[in-house]
Amino acid sequence: MAMPLRQSLRLGGYLMKQKLLRKEKFPLLVELEPLFACNLKCGGCGKIAQPHTLLKQRMPVEQAVGAIEESGAPMVSIAGGEPLMHPQIDEITRQLLARGKIIFLCTNALLLPKHIHKFKPHRNFAWMVHIDGLEDRHDASVRKEGGFQAAVDAIKLAKEKGFRVMTNTTFFTGDTPQDVIDVLDYLNDLGVDNMQISPGYAYEKAPDQDHWLGVQQTRELFAKAFGGGNRKRWRLNHSPVFLDFLEGKRDLECTPWGIPSYSLLGWQRPCYLLDDGYAKTYRELIETTEWENFGRGKDPRCANCMAHCGYEPTAVIATLGSLKESVRAAVGH
């Protein structure tokens, strides 16, 4: 199954508007990081490597909302760090929902039971719980025993209270096609509304630099996992074009401006994974970044990247620009 119909319709209307306005570069989703602090030390993340003075900072509500308003993006993924450590994360969420944004609040879910009372179910809101495989794999990835069970319990709690719950799973070199199948089957049975998946990317500041997937490894992993029509039975929050890309059925160009990242440091150039400095405003990011220099075959750092943040925007634009692909996405193929 593909991404939810409401999300697809919203993106379709937004893309039509950009076309009418003749805009060439626009965001589909903003990665909003209102803090870098976290309650875990995951091997694949380098956010807590920031200086202690920066780890203590929390982005003001007005700044967070203002950045999203300036960008005009229809969707926002609130990440970090751990967003639930931000004392005003519920207010940031409420104000963005009031402005009609679709919100995904990313969390490792350890603090979710403590803070869930601050939130109310909303058709444009979903918890995005980080699940890196089944119990042993997840606990090793987040470097915390019991982390998997705590996340599962939080998912059940959120579902009981009427929230939409999604998951995000990153796969690395140690993962097999059966691992992909097992975790997606488990999340299906758990009642997760939609799942996102991504191959491990060469994030420069991550403590673990030994388990990133190469392009061929990624294609082989997902081609085998998706074999026999498997992917149709999972509630994956991806376009069919992006899933085709993961398993090597088609290639795509990176669209680095499609999912920009905004944090305490500003708008990150050129994307969430590379750190070539920051712009103070969204307009500065778009107008002064040399976008043509990034992507596979252009920048050696991009050689093995097949991450969602760069290639899903390309896939979405290709899907909604084609009647054939739009129909395929609607029926979940």
Side-chain angles (χ1 to χ4, degrees), residues 29-83:
L29 176 148
V30 170
E31 290 273 2
L32 174 64
E33 298 177 314
L35 79 171
F36 289 121
C38 189
N39 53 347
L40 289 176
K41 298 180 180 180
C42 301
C45 176
K47 295 298 179 179
I48 60 172
Q50 298 288 352
H52 290 296
T53 52
L54 192 56
L55 290 176
K56 293 179 180 178
Q57 293 182 32
R58 305 292 184 263
M59 186 181 294
V61 174
E62 296 78 11
Q63 181 181 344
V65 174
I68 302 303
E69 286 284 86
E70 182 202 359
S71 75
M75 302 190 299
V76 184
S77 176
I78 305 177
E82 170 52 56

Side-chain angles (χ1 to χ4, degrees), residues 14 18 22-30 67 70-73 255-261 266-271 277-292 294:
Y14 174 76
Q18 306 313 304
R22 298 186 178 181
K23 285 190 177 181
E24 294 184 0
K25 294 182 175 63
F26 45 84
L28 297 182
L29 176 148
V30 170
E70 182 202 359
S71 75
T255 303
W257 42 260
I259 301 183
S261 176
W267 292 95
Q268 187 169 331
R269 303 179 195 269
C271 68
Y278 295 83
K280 292 182 178 180
T281 66
Y282 175 74
R283 181 174 180 177
E284 179 188 343
L285 173 76
I286 293 299
E287 294 182 354
T288 65
T289 303
E290 297 178 347
W291 301 105
E292 66 278 6
F294 302 100

Side-chain angles (χ1 to χ4, degrees), residues 37 49 72 105 111 127 157-158 171 207 227 247 260 264 286 290-291 320:
L105 203 160
L111 297 174
W127 297 102
L157 174 64
F171 295 99
E247 58 176 310
L264 291 163
I286 293 299
E290 297 178 347
W291 301 105
L320 298 177

Side-chain angles (χ1 to χ4, degrees), residues 229-288:
N230 273 345
R231 82 186 204 192
K232 296 178 184 178
R233 74 172 192 259
W234 297 316
R235 297 183 291 274
L236 297 171
N237 187 47
H238 295 291
S239 65
V241 171
F242 180 70
L243 297 176
D244 288 346
F245 167 72
L246 285 185
E247 58 176 310
K249 290 183 176 178
R250 65 186 296 166
D251 204 6
L252 298 171
E253 292 288 326
C254 177
T255 303
W257 42 260
I259 301 183
S261 176
Y262 182 74
S263 71
L264 291 163
L265 297 172
W267 292 95
Q268 187 169 331
R269 303 179 195 269
C271 68
Y272 175 73
L273 304 178
L274 301 182
D275 189 354
D276 287 0
Y278 295 83
K280 292 182 178 180
T281 66
Y282 175 74
R283 181 174 180 177
E284 179 188 343
L285 173 76
I286 293 299
E287 294 182 354
T288 65

